[in-house]
Amino acid sequence: MNDKVVDYYFAPVSPWTYLWHERFVALLQASAATCRLHPVDLSKVFPVSGGLPLPKRAPQRQAYRLVELARWGRWLELPINATPKFVASSGDLASRWILAAAGRSPASGLAMAGAVLRARWAEERDIADPATLRALAEGVGLDGDGIAARAQSPEVAAEYEAATQRAIDAQVFGVPWYVYRGEPFWGQDRLDFLARALSK
């Protein structure tokens, strides 16, 4: 049994998760590690952790966020639209599709998450649209009908609520957030520290 397991807390509405998701996947592969996926509802995490949703942040913070996203996109050579067409779309349904895919395997969940993140932040697609999600699932080799049915089940809805509560209990206050052997790592720029921990 693989004892290198990372708890991965993230949200498909997070551009920071998008920018570093594939690097996290590559790190898992290079480290012979696996992960547990926990897509979370940030609208429930922020109120209990002191965070603010983007529209409620000070204008200067919002402006600097755009500068940073563009800078990281150039550095990582990833396309990103920091103000995507469907920026108001909820990530709840997409999170349930990711959990449904993860029920097949962590790799399937990671693939679905990557497709969803690219769709929102690079491809101007609506991740709240079931037809879009079906196309994304099938695009990464998953059974669209099967994932759709599972995503709509009460079990997966409960999983999503549990993942969010798990994040709150773990004192998560932002994403992406990684926990390895009890040690938390917040933010995409802490991935190097996670890599060092996995190398031990």
Side-chain angles (χ1 to χ4, degrees), residues 4 7 23 46 83 92 100 115 117 121-122 133 146-147 162 171 179:
K4 290 186 176 183
D7 284 290
R23 290 195 170 209
F46 283 160
T83 55
D92 293 341
L117 288 160
W121 295 107
L133 292 167
I147 299 298
Q171 300 184 1
V179 178

Side-chain angles (χ1 to χ4, degrees), residues 40-176:
V40 303
D41 182 351
L42 291 176
S43 72
K44 295 180 179 178
V45 171
F46 283 160
V48 297
S49 63
L52 289 174
L54 182 62
K56 293 186 178 181
R57 295 175 195 170
Q60 57 267 47
R61 288 180 177 268
Q62 294 190 43
Y64 186 72
R65 171 182 174 274
L66 298 177
V67 173
E68 277 284 87
L69 288 173
R71 179 183 293 143
W72 277 109
R74 290 192 300 270
W75 178 258
L76 297 171
E77 299 182 342
L78 285 175
I80 182 169
N81 183 352
T83 55
K85 180 179 180 181
F86 297 101
V87 70
S89 290
S90 168
D92 293 341
L93 183 60
S95 293
R96 293 198 292 271
W97 277 70
I98 292 167
L99 283 169
R104 304 292 174 89
S105 70
S108 294
L110 288 168
M112 185 69 197
V116 166
L117 288 160
R118 285 190 301 275
R120 182 180 181 91
W121 295 107
E123 298 170 356
E124 299 286 35
R125 299 167 78 179
D126 185 0
I127 63 168
D129 176 20
T132 296
L133 292 167
R134 179 185 296 273
L136 294 175
E138 292 174 351
V140 294
L142 297 172
D143 170 22
D145 289 338
I147 299 298
R150 178 158 170 72
Q152 295 167 7
S153 70
E155 291 79 11
V156 166
E159 279 185 52
Y160 181 40
E161 290 184 11
T164 299
Q165 186 58 52
R166 196 174 298 116
I168 293 169
D169 293 343
Q171 300 184 1
V172 171
F173 52 80
V175 292

